[in-house]
Amino acid sequence: QVQLVESGGGLVQPGGSLRLSCAASGSIFSTRAMGWYRQAPGKQRELVATITSDDNTNYADSVKGRFTISRDYAKNTVYLSMNSLKPEDTAVYYCGADLKLSYSNRNWYRYWGQGTQVTVSS
């Protein structure tokens, strides 16, 4: 029932910019946090940035100062603004969200989008 859909990926030259978005839909009761992860060929999936319901943010050292995460919890949407992109940023970017689907459920569950390809190349 819950679906996360990423958009905004594509091909960009080094030094360029992209803005990713992720919208969660379905019967969502509450959102604790949303974030972005990425997986490059031959690499493990790694955290890029997260943002909590009280706007606390966390960034990987490799993207700090270049990427900015923001959110609109009323719309269950998270964004990732990426500047000064490098070839090393090339990866599939996945949106993740910690959600509750009902008031009575005490547990938070992680949901994932399908991913969007970001390619940084000249």
Side-chain angles (χ1 to χ4, degrees), residues 3 11 15-16 23 31 33-34 41 44 47 49 56 59 63 65 68 71 77 80-82 99 101 103-104 110 112 120:
Q3 185 177 21
L11 175 64
T31 302
M34 301 185 77
Q44 296 289 320
L47 182 147
N56 180 263
Y59 296 92
V63 307
T68 302
R71 56 78 174 155
T77 301
L80 185 68
S81 296
M82 305 184 293
L99 308 174
L101 303 188
Y103 174 80
S104 59
R110 171 62 58 86
W112 294 98
V120 184

Side-chain angles (χ1 to χ4, degrees), residues 39-52:
Q39 187 168 18
K43 301 290 185 179
Q44 296 289 320
R45 186 177 298 188
E46 64 177 357
L47 182 147
V48 177
T50 59
I51 184 167
T52 64

Side-chain angles (χ1 to χ4, degrees), residues 91-111:
V92 177
Y93 283 70
Y94 296 91
C95 173
D98 292 336
L99 308 174
K100 279 186 178 181
L101 303 188
S102 69
Y103 174 80
S104 59
N105 198 330
R106 297 180 179 180
N107 297 319
W108 298 87
Y109 296 92
R110 171 62 58 86
Y111 295 84

Side-chain angles (χ1 to χ4, degrees), residues 1-90:
Q1 191 67 33
V2 174
Q3 185 177 21
L4 275 64
V5 180
E6 302 99 334
S7 63
L11 175 64
V12 64
Q13 292 187 338
S17 300
L18 284 174
R19 190 191 191 209
L20 307 182
S21 64
C22 170
S25 62
S27 56
I28 301 170
F29 176 77
S30 183
T31 302
R32 179 172 67 178
M34 301 185 77
W36 292 94
Y37 297 73
R38 67 186 182 187
Q39 187 168 18
K43 301 290 185 179
Q44 296 289 320
R45 186 177 298 188
E46 64 177 357
L47 182 147
V48 177
T50 59
I51 184 167
T52 64
S53 58
D54 60 350
D55 288 325
N56 180 263
T57 59
N58 184 47
Y59 296 92
D61 288 340
S62 60
V63 307
K64 205 168 295 182
R66 300 187 298 119
F67 292 9
T68 302
I69 189 169
S70 60
R71 56 78 174 155
D72 185 344
Y73 278 119
K75 299 180 179 180
N76 289 314
T77 301
V78 65
Y79 306 91
L80 185 68
S81 296
M82 305 184 293
N83 300 314
S84 301
L85 283 162
K86 305 174 181 179
E88 306 92 272
D89 296 317
T90 296

